[in-house]
Amino acid sequence: MDFQVTLTHYLATFVELARKYDQTPRHCSELEQVIDEYSKFVTNADNKLAWERLAPESFRALNPIVVELRKLSSLCVAIMEKYRALKLQSGAIETADYFRNIEACIDKEFGSFQITSDSKLLLIGSGSFPMTPLLIAKRTGAEVVGIDIDEEAVALGSQVVDKLGAGLNIRLEQTRVEELDIVRDFTHIIFSSTVAQKYDLLEQLHSLTNKDVVVSMRYGDGLKSLFNYPMREVGSRSWSLVDNILRPHDLFDIALYKKAAI
């Protein structure tokens, strides 16, 4: 496979589709089709093998494209969630393959660190169609808080919660983690895989959270890094990696962290 040709094509496509967003769902189907196609590309086993066999100089040549492609694909996912929220308002909603994959991932989020009705969960990067808060709150009865820095995403996400999650203990806010006054109360934290600064935020959260908090860091390495921000090393005196849940057929993998024992 000529990855440079393929990735350059996807990059140009995402640039054009992002440009078309106009706060209406007019271009929803077109974007969903490309995102679904791209999702299958990054989870294809043959593509993964070909990617792993690339020579180091090939990786160096592709890296600038990969960095931009990750940024633009993340932006287009955010736009697709906005399209889905807008379609829900009009009574027309479909479940694209991308969303089916994400919903399947949520079921396996915390491994043995189960969420119960007594849990309090924070989702960083909740987006415009907050599937994770809806599914977790519905299945467990836990209190869920979602935060996002995108004002439009929080407004649309709140409308989705009102429509699909009536009676559930879910709150969405446009804020940053350091501005939350209840950070120490959270038992579980999830980072969206498309949050670029997630590992910087993880280090920031160390002094703000309680000693028993469990953090689910969604990430993607290798070919999956075309669609997700990859895993990074953490300070050994701050966080310990307690589980690494690899899921070849899903769009992202999950690293589970707890505070390191001093």
Side-chain angles (χ1 to χ4, degrees):
M1 172 178 289
D2 190 334
F3 278 107
Q4 184 158 354
V5 171
T6 303
L7 300 188
T8 301
H9 163 73
Y10 275 120
L11 179 58
T13 303
F14 284 135
V15 168
E16 177 64 16
L17 290 172
R19 186 189 63 79
K20 287 183 176 181
Y21 179 63
D22 60 359
Q23 286 76 46
T24 76
R26 283 194 304 155
H27 303 288
C28 179
S29 296
E30 184 180 4
L31 180 57
E32 280 190 352
Q33 181 177 345
V34 174
I35 290 289
D36 286 346
E37 182 183 299
Y38 191 61
S39 300
K40 292 170 183 173
F41 172 81
V42 300
T43 55
N44 180 281
D46 292 335
N47 293 345
K48 178 178 180 293
L49 185 60
W51 184 263
E52 292 170 349
R53 289 176 173 173
L54 286 175
E57 57 269 22
S58 297
F59 279 119
R60 286 193 291 271
L62 287 172
N63 189 61
I65 303 174
V66 170
V67 170
E68 286 303 307
L69 188 53
R70 184 187 300 136
K71 186 188 306 181
L72 264 295
S73 62
S74 297
L75 173 61
C76 283
V77 165
I79 291 172
M80 188 168 71
E81 290 191 3
K82 291 179 180 180
Y83 283 145
R84 196 184 192 199
L86 290 166
K87 288 175 70 175
L88 180 67
Q89 291 178 17
S90 65
I93 186 64
E94 301 170 359
T95 304
D97 289 343
Y98 168 82
F99 286 111
R100 292 190 188 96
N101 188 289
I102 296 298
E103 288 165 359
C105 294
I106 293 170
D107 288 335
K108 300 166 276 187
E109 188 80 46
F110 280 98
S112 60
F113 298 95
Q114 295 297 315
I115 298 174
T116 70
S117 59
D118 295 324
S119 301
K120 189 166 187 173
L121 181 138
L122 171 66
L123 173 62
I124 299 174
S126 52
S128 304
F129 205 96
M131 294 176 294
T132 297
L134 286 165
L135 288 172
I136 288 178
K138 184 175 182 179
R139 293 177 184 179
T140 67
E143 179 181 351
V144 183
V145 177
I147 62 173
D148 205 295
I149 59 174
D150 184 334
E151 182 179 4
E152 183 185 18
V154 172
L156 289 171
S158 297
Q159 293 171 11
V160 171
V161 169
D162 288 343
K163 194 172 186 70
L164 300 182
L168 298 178
N169 196 356
I170 299 173
R171 184 172 79 257
L172 303 181
E173 297 183 13
Q174 183 198 0
T175 188
R176 300 178 184 274
V177 291
E178 66 270 19
E179 297 169 348
L180 284 170
D181 57 0
I182 54 171
V183 175
R184 199 164 293 276
D185 297 333
F186 290 112
T187 59
H188 298 74
I189 297 174
I190 297 175
F191 280 91
S192 168
S193 67
T194 55
V195 173
Q197 304 301 322
K198 57 191 177 184
Y199 274 95
D200 296 331
L201 293 173
L202 179 65
E203 289 302 321
Q204 184 179 351
L205 280 167
H206 186 269
S207 63
L208 301 175
T209 50
N210 69 74
K211 64 182 180 65
D212 297 316
V213 68
V214 181
V215 176
S216 170
M217 182 72 74
R218 297 173 176 177
Y219 76 95
D221 287 343
L223 190 63
K224 290 184 181 181
S225 70
L226 300 178
F227 214 166
N228 308 276
Y229 286 88
M231 181 189 283
R232 273 175 35 189
E233 292 291 328
V234 296
S236 60
R237 294 181 60 82
S238 54
W239 296 97
S240 295
L241 178 65
V242 295
D243 201 358
N244 190 14
I245 305 171
L246 300 176
R247 302 173 307 181
H249 303 296
D250 294 336
L251 282 171
F252 56 78
D253 299 312
I254 292 173
L256 291 179
Y257 296 98
K258 292 202 73 177
K259 288 191 175 179
I262 304 296

